């Protein structure tokens, strides 16, 4: 044999030995749940760049034998888990412990056919999904959540809408937007929440004081506005909505775009604009009722299993006109307006926004970081800053006619942290703390006596919540929270007002300077509050379940209730706070019965709420100023009870027809003097019939009947006013509610398929189909004009 033959054989043997040695490598490990360390069976492990894969056994173990490659990546996935990529170097180690996020969220059907995650398993909670919110793109948060039984609104015209939850509103309703508590001068009835509904993917509503994580002062409930979700995959998607409606000749658009990466990075941007002109009742234009709203938001961050962060910013500017005829110069104007069937001022249609009007700019900045710990839990840390700048413009003359009568700037800083201990899925605990600081600056350059003074507010809170699952059918939640609030103010009082209200006896120690006709005072108040919540959910079987809740909550009075002292121009009334006002204490009991089958859904909710030292605002008489005579409204305290029931029934006749009923009933009593409470919603029932045919481009059509009964339980707050022109006294009837009204609304929509990933949703609707003239009891402008008439709307939603 030649030398060449021997060398060739030797080389081939060497190659064979080398390959044989490298292919003896072993890659093995165990798949565990990140939270409690329990093994995960059925996880799929695949070596990238090859056809090799393994599946974990009942102990979570897996093994790859005869591996030839030292360095490679392996993908790990499992049903209900976030997938994970593992980098492997077999020279360093051969056994790997791999942790997956294995939280199977409970999916509960709510409202129509949507399935979404709830924030609480034992609270009276409803979730509104994006397809429902899209219908209200050109409207407001307050309009959208009226989809839920038990929810109404208190309005100042059509553009200023405040949510009312089982009879409670304003400071008693807590609003969370992207995990930030909204701080926006919510004390005024005519102060609408500064939320752009187009930035929300879903809204969760928790009735009652059963969400202690968010605050202990939510006597009415918590509204949680959830932003768009992101996913760990390489994708870009978005949505553009165009809206137009006939009444008010309004138009608007909204665009949202999201970019996500498989490595966990994401970025989202959203911009919206909408404008309306003067609305119209069936018989006349509502002069000066237009609005213009512009919003922008953006957030970016990193979402991984072990850690992540997010940075968020939003900007919202609202310009809102207030019905010209609602501005009264004196009590005689008010009497004439109430007795007149039409507004005293009616002009042709216009987009102009003139005084009286509001301009509000609200900005939010948030940064959040989270860290997960194996076999322990998750830590969240967050800081947010808000700036709310509110201008209210009165009808003025002379050099000041273009100046705001109220100019308030509220700056809020909040730091909070929560720790969720979820290593045992049957017993989950959450503890957290919050520290906040607010500074309110009331610009003295308005030329008008300041209604709200400068003040500083300090907040501190700590809470603990436990979620327990004693059995497969029973879930129990228990929570406790402590809050400390301090408010330091500095304001001028007229000496005559100071003496009239008896402050000279009770608060002489807070006077820091006496100017003769005015006193400069420096009030400071501390409030300590303890809140409790307990709830249980029990599965009765056969698609039935019950919920029970008890909540104890306390709310410290706000700056308006304590310090208001002067003419509130946009409300055309004198408002007086009281330095003696104490914190409110609510004891609320509620129960819910749920039946949820394939064809039928029935939810019945009942509640009873006793509020000690309930704070309310009511008219007490008339006061004459250099501007004229105005009604005087004072903040008072009583012991009150509120009780009622909400019903939601849905039945699927067949695959095409669905019928639904939503009804709400409640009462409110002042038990201190045995009389009815003011501003309690009327009995309301809504019926709907919907037809759907998915074969017709996902076509649907519906007709809705909305029946609102006259409120027959109300306090008599009428008063007599002196009219100098006639030298007589006249009864001012501001209490009698308007009559029952019945509205019909229709809607239809369908899809136009553009490509596999693109489609356009076309929707057409008519509200107040029969052009009915009516007035709503909880609209502050009901004294002056009817509600709007028939309104045609069209909407295009482009998903891509």
């Amino acid at each position: 044999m030649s030398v060449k033959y021997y060398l060739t054989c030797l080389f081939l043997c060497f190659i064979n030995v080398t390959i044989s040695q490298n292919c003896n490598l072993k890659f093995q490990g165990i798949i565990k749940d990140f939270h409690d360390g329990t093994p995960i069976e059925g996880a799929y492990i695949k070596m990238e760049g090859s056809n090799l894969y393994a599946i974990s056994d009942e102990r979570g173990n897996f093994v790859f034998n005869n591996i030839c490659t030292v360095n490679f990546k392996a993908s790990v996935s499992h049903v209900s888990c976030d997938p994970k990529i593992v980098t492997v170097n077999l020279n360093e180690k051969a056994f790997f412990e791999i942790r997956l996020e294995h939280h199977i969220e409970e999916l509960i059907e709510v409202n129509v056919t949507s399935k979404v995650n709830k924030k609480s398993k034992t609270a009276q909670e409803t979730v509104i999904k994006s397809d429902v919110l899209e219908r209200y793109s050109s409207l407001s948060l307050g309009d959208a959540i009226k989809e839920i039984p038990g929810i109404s609104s208190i309005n100042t015209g059509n553009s200023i809408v405040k949510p009312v939850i089982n009879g409670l509103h304003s400071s008693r309703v807590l609003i969370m937007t992207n995990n930030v508590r909204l701080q926006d001068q919510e004390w005024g009835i005519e102060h609408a929440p500064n939320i752009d509904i187009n930035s929300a993917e879903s809204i969760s509503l928790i009735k009652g004081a059963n969400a202690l994580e968010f605050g202990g002062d939510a006597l009415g409930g918590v509204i949680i506005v959830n932003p768009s979700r992101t996913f760990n995959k390489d994708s870009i998607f978005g949505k553009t909505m165009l809206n137009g409606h006939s009444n008010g000749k309004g138009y608007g658009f909204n665009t949202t775009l999201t970019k996500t990466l498989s490595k966990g990075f994401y970025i989202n941007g959203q911009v919206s604009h909408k404008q309306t002109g003067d609305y119209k009742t069936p018989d006349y234009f509502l002069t000066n009722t237009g609005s213009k709203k512009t919003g922008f938001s953006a957030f970016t961050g990193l979402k991984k299993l072990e850690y992540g962060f997010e940075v968020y910013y939003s900007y919202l500017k609202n310009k809102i006109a207030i019905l010209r005829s609602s501005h009264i110069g004196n009590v005689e104007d008010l009497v004439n307006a109430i007795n007149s069937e039409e507004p005293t001022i009616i002009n042709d249609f216009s987009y102009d926004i003139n005084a009286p009007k509001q301009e509000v700019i609200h900005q939010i900045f948030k940064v959040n970081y989270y860290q997960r710990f194996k076999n322990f839990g998750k830590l969240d840390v967050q800081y947010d800053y808000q700036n709310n700048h509110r201008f209210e413009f009165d009808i003025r003359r002379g050099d000041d006619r273009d100046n705001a009568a109220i100019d308030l700037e509220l700056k809020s800083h909040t730091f909070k942290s929560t720790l969720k201990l979820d290593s045992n899925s049957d017993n989950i605990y959450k503890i957290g703390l919050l520290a906040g600081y607010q500074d309110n600056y009331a610009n003295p350059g308005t030329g008008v006596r300041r209604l709200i003074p400068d003040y500083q507010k300090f907040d501190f809170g700590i809470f603990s919540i436990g979620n327990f699952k004693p059995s497969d059918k029973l879930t129990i939640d228990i929570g406790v929270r402590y809050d400390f609030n301090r408010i330091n103010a500095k304001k001028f009082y007229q000496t005559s007002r100071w003496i009239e209200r008896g402050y000279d006896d009770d608060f002489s120690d807070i006077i820091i300077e006496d100017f003769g006709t005015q006193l400069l005072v420096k009030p400071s108040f501390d409030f300590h509050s303890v809140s409790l919540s307990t709830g249980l959910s029990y599965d009765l079987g056969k698609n039935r379940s019950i919920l029970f809740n008890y909540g104890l909550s306390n709310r410290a009075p706000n700056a308006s209730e304590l310090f208001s002292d002067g003419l509130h121009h946009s409300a055309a009334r004198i408002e007086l706070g009281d330095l003696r006002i104490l914190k409110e204490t609510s004891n609320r009991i509620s129960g819910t019965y749920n039946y949820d089958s394939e064809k039928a859904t029935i939810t019945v909710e009942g509640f009873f709420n006793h509020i000690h030292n309930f704070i309310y605002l009511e008219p007490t008489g008339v006061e004459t100023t250099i501007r004229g005579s105005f009604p005087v409204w004072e903040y008072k305290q009583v012991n009150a009870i509120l009780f009622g029931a909400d019903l939601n029934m849905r039945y699927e006749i067949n695959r095409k027809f669905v019928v639904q009923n939503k009804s709400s009933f409640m009462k409110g009593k002042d038990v201190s003097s045995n009389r009815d409470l003011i501003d309690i919603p009327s009995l309301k029932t809504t019926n709907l019939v919907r037809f759907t045919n998915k074969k017709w481009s996902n076509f649907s059509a519906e007709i809705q009947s909305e029946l609102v009964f006259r409120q027959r339980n109300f306090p008599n707050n009428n008063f007599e006013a002196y009219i100098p022109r006639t030298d007589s006294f006249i009864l001012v009837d501001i209490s009698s509610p308007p009559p029952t009204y019945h509205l019909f609304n229709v809607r239809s929509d369908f899809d136009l398929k553009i490509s596999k990933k693109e489609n356009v949703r076309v929707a057409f609707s008519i509200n107040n189909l029969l052009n009915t003239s009516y007035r709503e009891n909880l609209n502050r402008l009901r004294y002056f004009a009817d509600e709007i008439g028939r309104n045609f709307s069209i909407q295009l939603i482009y998903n891509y």
Side-chain angles (χ1 to χ4, degrees):
M1 295 184 181
S2 67
V3 175
K4 182 177 180 181
Y5 173 79
Y6 283 111
L7 290 176
T8 301
C9 291
L10 183 63
F11 178 75
L12 291 174
C13 290
F14 176 77
I15 293 295
N16 184 59
V17 171
T18 302
I19 293 175
S20 176
Q21 289 175 343
N22 286 344
C23 291
N24 286 330
L25 298 174
K26 180 182 290 187
F27 168 43
Q28 60 183 329
I30 186 170
I31 311 297
K32 291 184 177 182
D33 175 63
F34 186 89
H35 299 274
D36 56 18
T38 56
I40 297 178
E41 181 182 2
Y44 180 83
I45 306 97
K46 182 179 185 301
M47 290 180 56
E48 293 190 349
S50 74
N51 295 322
L52 298 178
Y53 69 91
I55 297 176
S56 60
D57 61 21
E58 68 276 5
R59 296 183 179 180
N61 295 313
F62 71 91
V63 62
F64 288 83
N65 293 307
N66 302 322
I67 303 298
C68 302
T69 306
V70 174
N71 297 298
F72 58 89
K73 290 184 178 181
S75 62
V76 187
S77 60
H78 186 267
V79 176
S80 301
C81 293
D82 288 333
K84 190 170 186 177
I85 303 296
V86 179
T87 301
V88 178
N89 185 340
L90 296 180
N91 284 333
E92 295 180 355
K93 61 177 180 178
F95 189 88
F96 291 78
E97 180 181 292
I98 302 172
R99 300 274 184 148
L100 295 181
E101 172 77 14
H102 191 248
H103 270 181
I104 303 177
E105 300 292 348
E106 184 178 4
L107 300 179
I108 305 175
E109 185 173 0
V110 292
N111 282 355
V112 281
T113 58
S114 306
K115 291 192 174 183
V116 291
N117 296 330
K118 288 193 173 185
K119 303 292 182 182
S120 169
K121 295 180 177 63
T122 66
Q124 291 180 323
E125 180 180 0
T126 308
V127 182
I128 306 176
K129 285 208 70 180
S130 59
D131 57 339
V132 179
L133 292 179
E134 287 171 353
R135 300 185 177 195
Y136 295 90
S137 174
S138 61
L139 299 174
S140 69
L141 172 71
D143 292 305
I145 67 169
K146 286 193 290 184
E147 282 273 333
I148 301 171
I151 310 302
S152 52
S153 65
I154 190 162
N155 294 26
T156 302
N158 302 288
S159 301
I160 302 176
V161 185
K162 298 201 70 161
V164 180
I165 304 176
N166 290 146
L168 300 175
H169 58 84
S170 300
S171 296
R172 301 182 187 94
V173 174
L174 192 158
I175 299 176
M176 301 292 298
T177 173
N178 200 356
N179 203 36
V180 175
R181 176 169 178 167
L182 191 66
Q183 305 282 2
D184 65 345
Q185 304 279 7
E186 75 277 5
W187 46 265
I189 286 178
E190 72 289 354
H191 298 181
N194 287 284
I195 293 287
D196 183 0
I197 195 171
N198 292 300
S199 65
E201 182 173 87
S202 65
I203 294 177
S204 301
L205 173 69
I206 302 176
K207 298 178 184 176
N210 299 299
L212 295 183
E213 175 185 354
F214 306 108
D217 55 348
L219 279 65
V222 181
I223 299 171
I224 304 171
V225 180
N226 303 301
S228 300
R229 292 175 296 171
T230 59
F231 307 93
N232 289 4
K233 62 179 182 179
D234 293 324
S235 178
I236 183 168
F237 55 92
K239 176 170 63 177
T240 297
M241 290 188 288
L242 301 176
N243 298 282
H245 53 87
S246 63
N247 202 325
K249 299 180 181 178
Y251 59 89
F253 73 87
N254 172 71
T255 295
T256 303
L257 187 64
T258 303
K259 171 64 179 174
T260 60
L261 299 175
S262 59
K263 294 182 178 180
F265 286 101
Y266 60 87
I267 185 169
N268 171 282
Q270 177 263 337
V271 61
S272 66
H273 176 80
K274 47 191 172 183
Q275 181 169 6
T276 61
D278 294 337
Y279 288 100
K280 187 178 184 297
T281 73
D283 303 309
Y284 48 80
F285 281 108
L286 297 169
T287 299
N288 199 52
T289 53
S291 65
K292 181 185 293 186
K293 302 180 181 182
T294 302
F296 165 79
S297 66
F299 59 86
T300 185
L302 173 67
K303 186 172 77 172
K304 287 184 173 292
L305 172 59
E306 294 87 356
Y307 62 90
F309 71 89
E310 181 174 280
V311 180
Y312 170 82
Y313 172 79
S314 71
Y315 172 93
L316 183 63
K317 182 176 182 179
N318 290 335
K319 295 180 67 175
I320 305 170
I322 298 175
L323 181 68
R324 176 63 178 85
S325 296
S326 70
H327 180 87
I328 59 174
N330 51 53
V331 173
E332 186 172 4
D333 289 347
L334 178 60
V335 172
N336 292 335
I338 291 175
N339 293 334
S340 174
E341 294 185 359
E342 294 187 354
T344 55
I345 299 175
I346 300 176
N347 295 327
D348 292 335
F349 172 86
S350 174
Y351 282 106
D352 294 340
I353 298 176
N354 300 313
K357 65 178 179 179
Q358 299 178 4
E359 292 185 10
V360 184
I361 298 175
H362 193 85
Q363 300 178 77
I364 300 176
F365 171 78
K366 182 198 83 170
V367 59
N368 169 274
Y369 176 81
Y370 70 85
Q371 178 79 50
R372 297 183 190 272
F373 302 94
K374 294 179 182 179
N375 301 334
F376 186 66
K378 177 185 177 184
L379 175 67
D380 271 284
V381 180
Q382 178 175 304
Y383 164 78
D384 60 76
Y385 166 77
Q386 296 181 69
N387 186 298
N388 182 267
H389 204 166
R390 163 173 287 273
F391 301 92
E392 296 186 8
F393 293 84
D394 187 18
I395 297 176
R396 307 173 72 177
R397 295 172 176 83
D399 296 337
D400 293 328
R401 62 176 170 268
D402 296 326
N403 293 340
I406 291 180
D407 180 353
L408 299 174
E409 186 173 15
L410 180 67
K411 298 178 181 179
S412 305
H413 302 263
T414 304
F415 169 84
K416 64 179 182 180
S417 179
T418 60
L419 177 63
K420 185 177 182 179
L421 309 177
D422 56 1
S423 60
N424 183 347
S425 59
D426 290 334
N427 297 300
I428 298 175
Y429 302 90
K430 183 178 284 190
I431 58 176
L433 60 86
L434 173 147
Y437 168 74
Q438 280 189 342
D439 178 71
N440 183 74
Y441 174 71
N443 186 357
T446 61
V448 176
R449 181 178 179 79
R450 291 182 287 181
L451 177 67
I452 302 296
D454 295 343
Y455 68 83
Q456 294 178 319
K457 188 168 180 284
F458 304 86
D459 300 303
F460 174 79
I462 185 169
F463 72 88
S464 177
I465 299 172
N467 176 265
F468 310 99
K469 200 170 179 59
S471 68
D472 291 338
K473 292 189 173 185
L474 179 63
T475 299
I476 300 174
D477 287 338
I478 299 175
V480 61
R481 182 181 178 109
Y482 165 77
D483 285 286
F484 168 76
N485 311 104
R486 168 173 290 174
I487 185 167
N488 297 329
K490 198 172 185 179
K491 77 178 301 280
F492 284 94
Y493 275 96
Q494 293 175 335
T495 304
S496 58
R497 180 85 74 193
W498 184 264
I499 296 173
E500 169 197 311
R501 303 190 67 78
Y503 292 161
D504 51 331
D505 295 327
D506 298 337
F507 300 101
S508 58
D509 57 322
I510 66 173
I511 300 174
I512 58 177
E513 199 163 352
D514 187 341
F515 294 93
T517 58
Q518 289 194 102
L519 300 172
L520 180 61
V521 301
K522 194 174 182 180
S524 179
F525 298 98
D526 290 345
F527 299 96
H528 300 268
S529 303
V530 175
S531 302
L532 304 170
S533 178
T534 182
L536 64 86
S537 170
Y538 188 78
D539 184 359
L540 298 173
K542 296 183 179 180
N543 305 312
R544 299 170 301 151
S545 64
I546 58 172
L547 304 176
F548 171 80
N549 285 281
Y550 165 72
L552 165 68
S553 56
N554 289 274
R555 183 183 73 88
N558 60 42
S560 176
E561 294 161 342
L562 290 169
F563 308 126
S564 286
D565 177 31
L567 182 60
H568 195 170
H569 294 265
S570 66
R573 66 191 183 197
I574 294 171
E575 294 181 5
L576 298 178
D578 194 334
L579 296 177
R580 302 182 186 88
I581 282 183
L582 305 174
K583 67 182 179 183
E584 293 178 324
T585 300
S586 165
N587 285 274
R588 187 181 191 273
I589 299 173
S590 63
T592 303
Y593 170 82
N594 288 313
Y595 174 80
D596 189 0
S597 69
E598 188 174 332
K599 281 188 168 289
T601 301
I602 301 174
T603 301
V604 182
E605 299 179 343
F607 73 95
F608 179 89
N609 195 356
H610 179 276
I611 304 178
H612 181 65
N613 289 328
F614 177 73
I615 305 170
Y616 71 104
L617 185 64
E618 75 168 0
T620 58
V622 179
E623 184 173 304
T624 301
T625 71
I626 59 173
R627 297 287 310 282
S629 296
F630 292 90
V632 177
W633 291 61
E634 294 187 41
Y635 284 100
K636 295 186 176 182
Q637 284 192 294
V638 298
N639 292 330
I641 58 172
L642 298 97
F643 59 93
D646 306 320
L647 172 67
N648 186 7
M649 296 188 300
R650 179 180 178 273
Y651 180 71
E652 185 177 310
I653 300 173
N654 53 42
R655 292 185 178 181
K656 294 182 179 180
F657 284 95
V658 171
V659 294
Q660 187 171 15
N661 172 269
K662 300 177 184 179
S663 300
S664 299
F665 160 81
M666 73 163 297
K667 296 282 188 182
K669 296 287 291 187
D670 168 6
V671 295
S672 299
S673 56
N674 191 28
R675 66 174 190 154
D676 297 307
L677 287 178
I678 194 172
D679 293 335
I680 297 299
S682 305
L683 171 63
K684 177 181 178 180
T685 182
T686 302
N687 293 285
L688 179 143
V689 179
R690 178 184 293 115
F691 169 81
T692 303
N693 191 326
K694 293 187 177 181
K695 294 181 180 179
W696 298 354
S697 300
N698 203 22
F699 173 83
S700 73
E702 65 185 46
I703 182 167
Q704 181 190 70
S705 161
E706 181 180 340
L707 178 61
V708 180
F709 292 87
R710 182 179 186 268
Q711 177 59 269
R712 299 190 179 278
N713 303 105
F714 58 92
N716 184 357
N717 291 316
N718 298 334
F719 57 89
E720 286 193 338
Y722 176 70
I723 308 299
R725 186 178 57 83
T726 59
D727 190 26
S728 62
F729 285 88
I730 189 168
L731 181 68
V732 182
D733 183 1
I734 61 173
S735 300
S736 300
T740 297
Y741 63 88
H742 191 189
L743 305 178
F744 289 93
N745 309 309
V746 296
R747 176 184 170 88
S748 179
D749 51 34
F750 59 91
D751 289 339
L752 295 176
K753 196 75 173 177
I754 298 176
S755 67
K756 290 184 178 180
K757 296 183 178 181
E758 297 175 285
N759 74 286
V760 175
R761 187 78 173 164
V762 181
F764 178 76
S765 63
I766 309 174
N767 290 333
N768 194 358
L769 177 66
L770 302 182
N771 207 25
T772 302
S773 296
Y774 70 101
R775 299 195 182 193
E776 165 55 44
N777 186 44
L778 293 187
N779 191 334
R780 190 181 66 82
L781 301 187
R782 69 177 175 86
Y783 304 116
F784 312 104
D786 292 340
E787 300 287 336
I788 69 171
R790 185 185 295 116
N791 186 21
F792 295 88
S793 300
I794 188 169
Q795 183 181 60
L796 302 178
I797 305 173
Y798 175 37
N799 294 287
Y800 47 92

